[in-house]
Amino acid sequence: MIIIKAAFWFFLITIVYTFIVYPIVLLLASFIFRKSRQKSPFYPTVTLVISAYNEELHIRDKLKNTLDLKYPKEKLEIIVASDGSNDHTDDIVRDFQTSGIKLLRIEGRVGKTEIQNRAVGMASGDILIFSDAESLYDKDSLLHITSNFSDQRVGAVAGKCVYVKMNSNDKMTLATQLYWKFETQLKMWESEIGTVTGASGLIYAIRKSLYLNLPPEIISDLVTPLLVLRSGNLVVYEPKAIAYEKTSGKFKKEMQMRSRVILRGMNGLKYVSDLLNPINHPWISFQLFSHKIVRWITPISLIGIIICSMFLIFTRPYTDLLLFSLAFIVICISFFKSKKTYIIDVLMSVFASACASAISIYRFFKGTKIVVWDTDREK
């Protein structure tokens, strides 16, 4: 019973550490170790790389949005990297070639990371900005991103993602927004130290001189900022550089997306495992352990709490915690038949993340790697 109680408290502390202790430590560190940075209007040459695969429904709006962005036109290069699209994506892009937009057609499916590698090979800009075909930018986003590069210590900049409702039956938008609000706050505090440990593929930038080609199975929006940190440069977060994207709108699709991202993230950390060495990289290894690894094992902790509570069912407070855990699961399962409420959305966000993490852990230890996947857009 002593071992079971010890395991119970270990699992519980892991969860509390992830969602309460680490954010508090990060908040304090953002004040104690804050790095003052220069930030002023700066207009380097920029290459915006848009990754696309079968995006005929969205690529026209994306290109119109891109052409409307506020940035000196003579300093902005736009490349659409098409990963073997077999719909009308490429034809639509060709319609915009008179506006200066370039099409990089890659035969076959090689995956997002590889098409980015190849697009960088033909890019002329000093700053590379990566985007997806469905995300739309605020008009001033590029100006806000480049202003950070006026500080020569800054090697990469992560933008802000805002998820919007897809339709009136969308039950997952609020849950996704809550998840990203928590992530955004962590990035804000990390940015004060200059050590943001990941970006969103919708909007992030890097100096071309720091870009390194990655293997196709590696998730670039996580590993690229980490490689910048390893080089001794700062990675910061810019909340005014905003990309809007619609959520999938469905629990199953949202969980599949998160599971895919987490699995690629696990393989990505394996690729830069030297950064987990606390002797050589004390602060970065602490952030990766706290922000990534411990978060990913949350589902194991949740399951562990339930199992331990079952053995301790006649002992308080273990009985109360078991009932609470079971009630949480029942609420989540009944979500689909209930009216949408704020509290249920919060629970669903946690539940979706836990399920995605559990699936990803299983697939990671199976040795699964993801290079390409089909776009799953609402038609």
Side-chain angles (χ1 to χ4, degrees):
M1 295 299 288
I2 294 176
I3 295 176
I4 294 175
K5 288 181 180 180
F8 173 90
W9 288 109
F10 170 79
F11 292 134
L12 182 61
I13 289 172
T14 298
I15 296 174
V16 172
Y17 176 82
T18 302
F19 295 104
I20 299 177
V21 177
Y22 174 63
I24 292 174
V25 172
L26 193 58
L27 171 61
L28 295 175
S30 70
F31 284 104
I32 298 172
F33 303 107
R34 178 176 298 179
K35 288 183 172 67
S36 60
R37 299 194 310 273
Q38 174 186 339
K39 187 177 176 184
S40 58
F42 185 54
Y43 307 101
T45 55
V46 169
T47 297
L48 177 63
V49 177
I50 302 171
S51 302
Y53 168 68
N54 286 358
E55 293 285 0
E56 62 180 11
L57 295 178
H58 308 100
I59 193 65
R60 189 178 299 277
D61 289 339
K62 172 64 175 179
L63 297 181
K64 289 179 179 178
N65 170 259
T66 302
L67 291 172
D68 287 338
L69 295 176
K70 293 182 180 179
Y71 201 79
K73 300 304 179 184
E74 69 278 8
K75 292 191 174 185
L76 177 61
E77 177 184 47
I78 303 167
I79 300 175
V80 178
S82 176
D83 189 16
S85 297
N86 53 28
D87 61 355
H88 296 291
T89 296
D90 296 356
D91 295 329
I92 295 171
V93 175
R94 291 187 183 99
D95 291 340
F96 286 83
Q97 287 182 325
T98 55
S99 299
I101 293 177
K102 301 176 182 179
L103 172 66
L104 172 60
R105 163 82 185 178
I106 298 171
E107 297 298 336
R109 296 296 309 281
V110 297
K112 182 178 180 180
T113 299
E114 179 59 22
I115 65 173
Q116 287 180 343
N117 289 339
R118 300 189 192 185
V120 171
M122 65 179 285
S124 61
D126 293 327
I127 302 297
L128 307 170
I129 300 178
F130 297 101
S131 180
D132 283 347
E134 193 183 10
S135 60
L136 301 180
Y137 286 7
D138 264 1
K139 288 188 176 182
D140 294 330
S141 291
L142 300 192
L143 297 174
H144 289 302
I145 287 177
T146 55
S147 66
N148 289 275
F149 288 107
S150 63
D151 190 324
Q152 293 301 311
R153 298 172 301 167
V154 174
V157 179
K160 180 179 181 178
C161 303
V162 175
Y163 287 91
V164 296
K165 182 180 257 188
M166 176 169 276
N167 54 58
S168 59
N169 296 319
D170 183 352
K171 294 187 175 184
M172 287 303 298
T173 297
L174 181 55
T176 302
Q177 289 172 342
L178 289 168
Y179 172 82
W180 277 104
K181 184 174 288 188
F182 179 69
E183 280 294 301
T184 295
Q185 187 56 68
L186 294 182
K187 282 183 168 59
M188 290 285 286
W189 292 331
E190 290 176 342
S191 185
E192 293 294 341
I193 312 169
T195 56
V196 175
T197 55
S200 166
L202 305 184
I203 179 168
Y204 74 101
I206 178 177
R207 294 186 190 274
K208 186 182 179 184
S209 60
L210 296 176
Y211 184 87
L212 297 175
N213 286 351
L214 295 172
E217 71 274 10
I218 299 301
I219 183 169
S220 57
D221 45 15
L222 169 65
V223 175
T224 294
L226 292 178
L227 292 176
V228 171
L229 289 175
R230 189 169 68 181
S231 70
N233 291 272
L234 303 180
V235 179
V236 300
Y237 176 71
E238 178 49 72
K240 293 182 180 179
I242 302 174
Y244 298 93
E245 178 151 304
K246 295 178 181 179
T247 62
S248 63
K250 297 179 182 179
F251 177 81
K252 182 178 178 181
K253 292 180 181 179
E254 197 69 20
M255 194 172 68
Q256 288 174 340
M257 181 274 293
R258 292 191 191 182
S259 175
R260 183 179 68 237
V261 170
I262 292 171
L263 175 59
R264 299 194 80 210
M266 291 176 175
N267 285 317
L269 276 194
K270 183 179 178 181
Y271 181 75
V272 289
S273 58
D274 60 297
L275 291 176
L276 295 173
N277 186 334
I279 297 176
N280 297 330
H281 306 280
W283 178 249
I284 296 176
S285 63
F286 168 74
Q287 281 188 242
L288 292 175
F289 174 78
S290 303
H291 195 168
K292 304 295 182 184
I293 297 175
V294 179
R295 173 93 59 88
W296 290 336
I297 65 173
T298 295
I300 296 177
S301 297
L302 290 171
I303 295 171
I305 286 174
I306 294 174
I307 294 174
C308 291
S309 298
M310 293 175 66
F311 284 100
L312 302 167
I313 193 168
F314 298 112
T315 307
R316 299 191 71 179
Y318 306 102
T319 303
D320 299 332
L321 290 169
L322 174 61
L323 293 175
F324 174 81
S325 300
L326 294 175
F328 169 78
I329 294 173
V330 170
I331 290 173
C332 290
I333 293 175
S334 64
F335 166 76
F336 300 101
K337 296 182 180 180
S338 66
K339 292 184 178 180
K340 188 173 177 178
T341 67
Y342 183 83
I343 294 177
I344 288 179
D345 276 331
V346 173
L347 296 176
M348 282 303 299
S349 180
V350 177
F351 187 58
S353 297
C355 291
S357 294
I359 294 170
S360 300
I361 290 171
Y362 170 73
R363 298 175 74 188
F364 175 76
F365 284 105
K366 276 185 62 180
T368 303
K369 294 182 180 179
I370 297 176
V371 175
V372 300
W373 59 87
D374 291 331
T375 53
D376 192 1
R377 309 297 193 201
E378 193 82 10
K379 293 183 171 62

